[in-house]
Amino acid sequence: MLRNLILAVANRPFVRRIATGGVGRRVALRFVAGEDIEDALKVVKILNERGMSASLDYLGENVHDATAAQAAADTYRSAIERVEASGLQANLSVKLTQMGLDLDPEVAIGNAAVVAARAAEADGTVTLDMEDHRYTDPTIDTCLRLSHSYPGRLGVAIQAYLFRTEKDLERLMEARVQVRLCKGAYREPSKIAYHRKIDVDAAYARLLVRLVSSEAYPMIATHDERLIRFAKEQVAKIGRDRDTFEFQLLYGVRRDLQDQLVREGYRVRVYVPFGTEWYPYFMRRIAERPANVKFFLRQLVSR
Ligand code: FDA
């Protein structure tokens, strides 16, 4: 599978060198708002004017230094303050490995709690991104733990490609946290995850039916038009109000679909990454779609 191959070679030094050069940077900017918060806020403003909200992701993962993890939490805190002061509509998406999970789970929870507390003060919310399977348990546990202290403020992403997700979803729905349902973007072993698109899509559809019929707040994160149509049919069938769930899409992906959903009267939130540590995020976006690989290679050879 092309995706697994790209993710497998992404950390080879020569691939990294090529992909982070001038061309890589230019292509990455299609998926990343920019390197600092000013760039991100400009994008959020434009999205708000287009009728959609945003989720700010300060790029960074697998941080192995307590000072850097705390600095990331501080950046999130100041991002909330900037959003609040400018009256923009944006919440936060946070990776626990950026908060120090590899270092010490308690450090990560402490940093995430600081972000959640500030978000709650500003009447905002925080969604924990889901990383690879080594982090599934701590991410779900942290979400549930923080949601006790900050009820209504926490959400977490779950990945349809993992066999375990059905059970995780039940726990999360019971706790009534916000649930972002995505397909999953990492390279996972076949003993724990579906690899064929047909199986991942079928799992997504099953989880979606369960999620939209619950009292949790569903965040339907996909650009897959068949699944989006299916989601619309499901919510219409059960008569769920349009202000009780949202569609989420990534910055730089299917802008036409983002606008169409707004025109149709759905809540739409766009995930807006910013920061200098864009490489792993960018490689996941490249790996998701063969056309992106071709586009990137074409840009490289036409230099
Ligand atoms: P699929 O891959 O089948 O794509 C459907 C169509 O969407 C494609 O045909 C193409 O038109 C378009 N498309 C999809 N990806 C594209 C790309 N990179 N470039 C251009 N077009 C593209 N994953 C994870 O593991 N943990 C997480 O926390 C999150 N968080 C998250 C938040 C939000 C808001 C979104 C939308 C997605 C995530 N993801 C994620 C990523 C997710 O798991 C998945 O990898 C991507 O969304 C791609 O899958 P689709 O559902 O879009 O379907």
Side-chain angles (χ1 to χ4, degrees):
M1 207 183 176
L2 184 64
R3 190 176 75 138
N4 283 344
L5 182 68
I6 293 169
L7 295 177
V9 300
N11 279 327
R12 301 258 169 96
F14 94 98
V15 176
R16 200 181 175 110
R17 216 170 35 247
I18 293 174
T20 53
V23 175
R25 199 180 204 82
R26 247 194 353 261
V27 180
L29 277 177
R30 186 186 141 187
F31 299 107
V32 174
E35 295 202 336
D36 58 39
I37 183 71
E38 303 304 329
D39 299 321
L41 294 176
K42 272 185 215 149
V43 167
V44 173
K45 185 164 182 288
I46 293 168
L47 290 168
N48 288 174
E49 285 163 5
R50 283 168 55 207
M52 41 199 96
S53 57
S55 192
L56 285 171
D57 166 35
Y58 175 52
L59 291 162
E61 48 202 84
N62 298 109
V63 166
H64 288 101
D65 164 355
T67 312
Q70 201 190 328
D74 288 344
T75 301
Y76 271 113
R77 265 201 327 198
S78 56
I80 303 165
E81 279 153 22
R82 296 292 305 277
V83 165
E84 197 183 16
S86 46
L88 294 171
Q89 295 299 314
N91 68 7
L92 303 176
S93 286
V94 174
K95 285 186 178 56
L96 281 184
T97 67
Q98 187 187 29
M99 299 287 108
L101 187 57
D102 289 333
L103 216 60
D104 177 349
E106 287 308 312
V107 167
I109 293 175
N111 284 326
V114 165
V115 177
R118 188 64 190 91
E121 251 176 57
D123 199 21
T125 57
V126 177
T127 303
L128 299 181
D129 285 344
M130 189 55 83
E131 304 178 66
D132 74 55
H133 72 273
R134 293 169 299 163
Y135 305 113
T136 312
D137 279 324
T139 305
I140 289 176
D141 292 346
T142 302
C143 174
L144 294 175
R145 208 166 126 182
L146 291 180
S147 74
H148 281 300
S149 313
Y150 307 102
R153 302 292 173 190
L154 264 295
V156 64
I158 55 168
Q159 298 154 322
Y161 63 16
L162 290 185
F163 302 155
R164 58 173 287 169
T165 296
E166 225 158 300
K167 279 203 188 113
D168 292 334
L169 177 60
E170 294 303 320
R171 267 179 86 197
L172 294 166
M173 289 187 318
E174 207 178 296
R176 295 194 190 174
V177 295
Q178 301 162 11
V179 179
R180 177 199 294 156
L181 178 59
C182 65
K183 289 190 187 180
Y186 295 80
R187 190 164 67 103
E188 298 291 9
S190 52
K191 59 176 192 297
I192 62 163
Y194 300 109
H195 279 189
R196 296 189 314 159
K197 177 172 163 56
I198 190 174
D199 296 327
V200 178
D201 291 358
Y204 193 106
R206 282 195 303 275
L207 293 161
L208 183 77
V209 170
R210 194 67 196 99
L211 177 58
V212 297
S213 63
S214 78
E215 290 182 36
Y217 182 77
M219 303 184 280
I220 304 165
T222 182
H223 316 93
D224 187 325
E225 288 191 71
R226 278 182 56 212
L227 286 171
I228 289 177
R229 202 176 318 122
F230 180 67
K232 290 176 188 167
E233 285 163 10
Q234 285 304 307
V235 290
K237 197 161 115 187
I238 59 172
R240 188 166 184 139
D241 285 346
R242 287 187 181 189
D243 58 359
T244 65
F245 67 95
E246 67 189 34
F247 287 106
Q248 295 192 346
L249 299 93
L250 299 174
Y251 175 71
V253 181
R254 294 298 312 266
R255 196 190 140 117
D256 58 330
L257 190 53
Q258 299 169 6
D259 288 325
Q260 183 192 320
L261 287 165
V262 170
R263 275 198 306 277
E264 290 171 353
Y266 292 101
R267 274 190 185 185
V268 176
R269 186 180 300 275
V270 173
Y271 185 96
V272 178
F274 71 98
T276 53
E277 299 298 314
W278 46 263
Y279 180 70
Y281 179 85
F282 171 53
M283 288 313 271
R284 287 195 291 277
R285 299 295 77 82
I286 289 290
E288 263 154 16
R289 196 166 171 244
N292 288 348
V293 184
K294 284 193 208 140
F295 176 71
F296 181 44
L297 293 176
R298 253 200 326 268
Q299 299 294 308
L300 268 181
V301 295
S302 67
R303 260 192 309 176

